[in-house]
Amino acid sequence: MRDDGPVLVLTNPSDVTADVVLRLLADRRVPVVRLDPGTDLYTGASLTATYGTDGLRGTLRTASRATCIDLVRSVWVRRPSPHHGPPGLNDRDSRFAVEQTLWGAGGVLASLPDAHYVNHPWNNRAAEFKPAQLSAARRSGFPVPSTVITNDPAEVRKFTARHRGGAVYKPLWNTPYRVDGRPHGVWVREVRADEITDAVSVCPHLFQAKVDKAFDVRVTAVGGRLSGVRIDSPDLDWRHRQHLMTCTPIEVPDAVTRAVAAYLTEFRLVYGAFDFAVTAEDVWYFLECNPNGQWAWQPPETSTAIAHAIADQLEKGPGT
């Protein structure tokens, strides 16, 4: 890696959020290589890595340039496309190609010597498990709502009955879901004990005590730089109808700042999008942290600050 080495951005070609940061890097004359491994490596791009006693040497060739991968200073793992395999192959061969690409190219791109990752893909994956999030949040000092993860309907009924203030259901993963062939969002929703059926036994479900919140907060952390936004919405899940929510910048309390730092350290993250439910008594309950959450929807002054913080991380490389 050299101080003048390129920044490698792994994302899809329609990622307009990445474009905001890439324009900042262009203004700073920082070289950038953009790659969508799930599609580009099947349509003309090539990746070669050679390992020997002198370390890693290799070349990434895209439609616009050839890059020495051992000179990459930073890697931004943004929003690469899912791997669907090369066109024209049968299902068996396509699945084989996808797996080989994930374990081969994915392994190379996640192991570049001395590169600074925002975030490292393996750290992202570890931090996406909600049970791990809840455990880490508690250790980091966040208040966490009472939560149960189970496939036992009787346990869920007892849990929901015990919490007189109400309980909510939320999916453990944002799995694509279709109703009558059309995409269907699975939102956080309030549930009652008499609504719980034996269908819960099909797989683990997450239920949580409902927080009597006054408003929501999104805190976007880039290293030690935090940007907070208060979210007022008529919905329990503000993502459901974002056109109805209002966002205003908010100061992040010192206790939350310290807990965010501890949480990022535990998962070895540079970036994290934290969601909180805040009560009238100003208690900030941790709900989740998306290690690759969107941020460009926030007020202009907030999204601009986040874009500059990410650009700074990518430009400076290791040690930031």
Side-chain angles (χ1 to χ4, degrees):
M1 193 280 298
R2 292 197 312 237
D3 291 340
D4 60 349
V7 171
L8 176 59
V9 179
L10 304 179
T11 196
N12 66 82
S14 301
D15 185 2
V16 295
T17 298
D19 293 340
V20 176
V21 175
L22 266 56
R23 284 193 290 271
L24 293 176
L25 293 175
D27 291 341
R28 303 177 187 190
R29 302 191 183 281
V30 175
V32 172
V33 179
R34 184 169 181 158
L35 178 73
D36 190 9
T39 59
D40 294 348
L41 292 175
Y42 305 136
T43 55
S46 67
L47 176 63
T48 300
T50 302
Y51 299 86
T53 55
D54 58 345
L56 168 67
R57 296 289 183 269
T59 305
L60 171 63
R61 298 185 187 277
T62 65
S64 59
R65 67 180 67 191
T67 302
C68 294
I69 58 175
D70 44 303
L71 300 181
V72 170
R73 76 170 93 176
S74 296
V75 181
W76 187 19
V77 184
R78 239 308 281 178
R79 290 291 171 107
S81 302
H83 288 254
H84 294 298
L89 295 183
N90 60 41
D91 289 344
R92 178 192 60 213
D93 291 343
S94 182
R95 286 195 300 272
F96 180 83
V98 165
E99 291 295 322
Q100 297 303 305
T101 302
L102 286 171
W103 290 92
V108 170
L109 297 175
S111 306
L112 301 183
D114 301 323
H116 178 51
Y117 285 85
V118 183
N119 291 315
H120 195 286
W122 300 341
N123 296 340
N124 268 352
R125 174 55 67 182
E128 286 174 331
F129 287 89
K130 282 190 168 61
Q133 291 186 18
L134 294 168
S135 295
R138 181 185 58 79
R139 288 191 296 270
S140 298
F142 290 119
V144 176
S146 178
T147 305
V148 63
I149 299 173
T150 183
N151 66 333
D152 186 335
E155 290 295 330
V156 181
R157 294 187 189 102
K158 288 190 292 186
F159 180 85
T160 53
R162 186 165 63 248
H163 292 282
R164 300 299 182 182
V168 302
Y169 163 77
K170 58 178 66 174
L172 286 156
W173 180 251
N174 189 27
T175 304
Y177 195 81
R178 290 181 174 270
V179 176
D180 297 328
R182 304 180 66 178
H184 184 78
V186 182
W187 310 108
V188 178
R189 62 178 293 264
E190 192 166 3
V191 294
R192 303 187 309 271
D194 59 7
E195 292 181 291
I196 305 303
T197 72
D198 289 344
V200 168
S201 65
V202 171
C203 63
H205 292 64
L206 186 154
F207 296 88
Q208 199 165 66
K210 182 183 177 183
V211 176
D212 185 17
K213 65 182 180 181
F215 53 88
D216 290 278
V217 167
R218 162 64 64 88
V219 173
T220 306
V222 186
R225 294 160 69 175
L226 273 56
S227 301
V229 171
R230 169 175 171 157
I231 302 171
D232 291 278
S233 168
D235 296 321
L236 178 64
D237 188 337
W238 54 263
R239 301 169 303 167
H240 188 197
R241 296 183 294 176
Q242 293 191 33
H243 64 286
L244 296 180
M245 72 181 186
T246 58
C247 300
T248 52
I250 189 173
E251 289 292 323
V252 181
D254 290 344
V256 175
T257 298
R258 291 192 294 271
V260 165
Y263 186 99
L264 294 177
T265 297
E266 175 155 345
F267 281 114
R268 301 175 67 186
L269 300 175
V270 175
Y271 175 95
F274 293 78
D275 287 326
F276 300 92
V278 183
T279 68
E281 295 74 31
D282 202 35
V283 178
W284 289 45
Y285 280 94
F286 172 93
L287 298 180
E288 65 177 312
C289 174
N290 186 338
N292 203 4
Q294 298 281 24
W295 48 267
W297 52 269
Q298 300 182 54
E301 61 269 38
T302 303
S303 58
T304 298
I306 295 168
H308 278 275
I310 294 172
D312 289 346
Q313 287 279 336
L314 297 173
E315 179 181 9
K316 294 177 183 177
T320 54

